C-alpha cells in the first residue's frame, strides 16, 4: 500500500485539477474475478494470443467462439464492479472525473455507473455481424449454437471488441487522444502500458502537461517514464483510501465555498 503522504498528495492533485480523466486496463477488474492478460495467472500464459487473431476467427469461427465463451463470456454475467470501478463512478458523480478511457471489454465501468466511457478496444457487451455490420446486444442473442448467426442476414457474429489484426474503433481513438490533450490529470489504473496505440494515450497526456497518477501493485511501462505519483497497491484498497481522502478534501472545499 502506498504511503499516506502519496495518497494525500494524489487526492489534492485530483480535487484541484481542472479536468480529470482515467485510463484503465485489465488490472482494475482483477478483484472482480477477471484474470489479467499478462503477469501471474495471465490469460496469455494459458492461451495463444494468435487464437484471437481476426483471420483465425474468420477461418475457424466455431473453435474461436468456444474459447471466447470460456475466456470472456464465462465472466461476463458474473463479474461485478469492485471498489475501484465504484470510485471512478463516484468521481464522475462528484463532477471531478469526466471520462474513463478503458482498454477493458468487460463493461464494468458502465455497470459501476460511469456514463462517459471510451471503449478503446470495444466491448463484449455487443456483438457485430461480419457481413452486414449490424450490432446486437449480447443479451439479445442465443448462444446455444456456436458461432451465433446474425438475425438479420445470417452472417457470423463476433464480439464487438478488436481482435489482434483489427484497428482501434476510429471514434474511440479520436476521442481518447482528444481527452489526452484536454485533461490536466490522468488517473492510470491497472495496466502494463505495453500495448499500442493505447499506451500512447497517457504519454500524450503527459507531453501536454497533465499530472499522471498511477495505481498498480507492480511498476508498469509508465511508472518510470510518465508517472508523477505512483500509488503502489491493488486497485480496490488503494482507490478506497484515495476516495476517502478525496471525499474529505471535497467536503472541506464545498464547506469553504
Ligand atoms: N489492481 C491493479 N492493478 C493490477 C491488479 C490489481 N489488483 N492486479 C494486476 N494488476 C496490474 C498488473 O500489474 C499489470 O500491470 O494490471 C496489469 C495487467 O496487465 P495486462 O494483463 O497486460 O492488462 P492491460 O495492460 O490492460 O493489457 C492491455 O493487452 O492483450 C491486450 O487487448 C488486451 O486490453 C488488453 C491490452
Amino acid at each position: 500500500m502506498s504511503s499516506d503522504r502519496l495518497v494525500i498528495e494524489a487526492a489534492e492533485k485530483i480535487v484541484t485539477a481542472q479536468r480529470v480523466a482515467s485510463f484503465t486496463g485489465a488490472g482494475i477488474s482483477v478483484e472482480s474475478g477477471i484474470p489479467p492478460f499478462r503477469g501471474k495467472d495471465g490469460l496469455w500464459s494459458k492461451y495463444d494470443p494468435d487464437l484471437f487473431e481476426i483471420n483465425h476467427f474468420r477461418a475457424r469461427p466455431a473453435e474461436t467462439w468456444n474459447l471466447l465463451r470460456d475466456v470472456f463470456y464465462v465472466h461476463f454475467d458474473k463479474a461485478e464492479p469492485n471498489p475501484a470501478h465504484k470510485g471512478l463512478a463516484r468521481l464522475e458523480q462528484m463532477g471531478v472525473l469526466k471520462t474513463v478511457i478503458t482498454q477493458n471489454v468487460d463493461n464494468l465501468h458502465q455497470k459501476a455507473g460511469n456514463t462517459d466511457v471510451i471503449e478503446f478496444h470495444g466491448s463484449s457487451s455487443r456483438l457485430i455481424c461480419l457481413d452486414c455490420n449490424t450490432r446486437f446486444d449480447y443479451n439479445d442473442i442465443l448462444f446455444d449454437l456456436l458461432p451465433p448467426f446474425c438475425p438479420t442476414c445470417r452472417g457470423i457474429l463476433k464480439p464487438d471488441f478488436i481482435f489482434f489484426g483489427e484497428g482501434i474503433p476510429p471514434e474511440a481513438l479520436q476521442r481518447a487522444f482528444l481527452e489526452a490533450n484536454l485533461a490536466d490529470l490522468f488517473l492510470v489504473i491497472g495496466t502494463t502500458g505495453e500495448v499500442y496505440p493505447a499506451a500512447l494515450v497517457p504519454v500524450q497526456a503527459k507531453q501536454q502537461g497533465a499530472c499522471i497518477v498511477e495505481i498498480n501493485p507492480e511498476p508498469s511501462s509508465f511508472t518510470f517514464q510518465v508517472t508523477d505519483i505512483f500509488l503502489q497497491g491493488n486497485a480496490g484498497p488503494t482507490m478506497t483510501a484515495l476516495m476517502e481522502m478525496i471525499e474529505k478534501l471535497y467536503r472541506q472545499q464545498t464547506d469553504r465555498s
Side-chain angles (χ1 to χ4, degrees), residues 25-27 30-31 36-38 44 103-104 121 164 190-193 195 216-218 233-235:
V30 165
E31 291 156 84
F37 293 96
R38 298 169 186 83
W44 299 149
Q103 300 170 90
N104 301 340
H121 290 156
F164 290 110
T191 177
T192 46
V195 171
N216 199 316
E218 305 295 333
N234 288 333

Side-chain angles (χ1 to χ4, degrees), residues 125-188:
S125 65
R126 299 180 301 273
L127 303 176
I128 186 170
C129 175
L130 287 180
D131 291 346
C132 68
N133 284 324
T134 307
R135 283 182 166 83
F136 302 91
D137 187 292
Y138 156 85
N139 292 305
D140 295 340
I141 298 294
L142 290 174
F143 286 84
D144 44 4
L145 283 177
L146 293 177
F149 290 99
C150 174
T152 309
C153 77
R154 305 304 301 157
I156 289 175
L157 296 178
K158 78 176 266 292
D160 192 18
F161 57 71
I162 61 165
F163 281 43
F164 290 110
E166 287 191 288
I168 303 298
E171 193 205 340
L173 185 75
Q174 187 188 20
R175 282 197 63 216
F177 282 97
L178 176 64
E179 196 56 36
N181 288 328
L182 293 174
D184 60 342
L185 190 140
F186 255 65
L187 181 52
V188 177

Side-chain angles (χ1 to χ4, degrees), residues 5-213:
R5 182 181 56 78
L6 281 179
V7 171
I8 294 168
E9 188 183 342
E12 286 168 344
K13 294 276 188 193
I14 289 166
V15 297
T16 53
Q18 294 304 308
R19 185 178 176 124
V20 174
S22 183
F23 180 83
T24 66
I28 196 172
S29 298
V30 165
E31 291 156 84
S32 296
I34 299 179
F37 293 96
R38 298 169 186 83
K40 184 171 168 301
D41 301 330
L43 287 172
W44 299 149
S45 63
K46 294 176 186 153
Y47 301 96
D48 176 356
D50 288 348
L51 295 173
F52 299 94
E53 197 273 338
I54 185 61
N55 294 317
H56 182 276
F57 176 81
R58 287 181 183 279
R60 298 179 181 79
E63 177 193 312
T64 311
W65 258 109
N66 278 300
L67 265 179
L68 289 166
R69 181 185 49 205
D70 298 346
V71 172
F72 292 95
Y73 288 97
V74 67
H75 303 292
F76 189 69
D77 290 326
K78 288 187 299 221
E80 290 300 325
N82 64 57
H85 298 102
K86 292 173 183 170
L88 292 178
R90 174 68 181 135
L91 285 177
E92 179 185 311
Q93 199 185 35
M94 292 165 76
V96 171
L97 173 92
K98 174 138 181 2
T99 305
V100 176
I101 301 160
T102 188
Q103 300 170 90
N104 301 340
V105 297
D106 57 31
N107 204 46
L108 287 181
H109 288 302
Q110 291 92 331
K111 273 188 181 176
N114 281 94
T115 61
D116 186 355
V117 180
I118 299 173
E119 297 169 322
F120 203 80
H121 290 156
S123 174
S124 51
S125 65
R126 299 180 301 273
L127 303 176
I128 186 170
C129 175
L130 287 180
D131 291 346
C132 68
N133 284 324
T134 307
R135 283 182 166 83
F136 302 91
D137 187 292
Y138 156 85
N139 292 305
D140 295 340
I141 298 294
L142 290 174
F143 286 84
D144 44 4
L145 283 177
L146 293 177
F149 290 99
C150 174
T152 309
C153 77
R154 305 304 301 157
I156 289 175
L157 296 178
K158 78 176 266 292
D160 192 18
F161 57 71
I162 61 165
F163 281 43
F164 290 110
E166 287 191 288
I168 303 298
E171 193 205 340
L173 185 75
Q174 187 188 20
R175 282 197 63 216
F177 282 97
L178 176 64
E179 196 56 36
N181 288 328
L182 293 174
D184 60 342
L185 190 140
F186 255 65
L187 181 52
V188 177
I189 306 175
T191 177
T192 46
E194 291 177 8
V195 171
Y196 288 81
L200 292 176
V201 174
V203 170
Q204 172 75 15
K206 176 72 175 183
Q207 281 171 349
Q208 61 83 18
C211 172
I212 309 294
V213 176

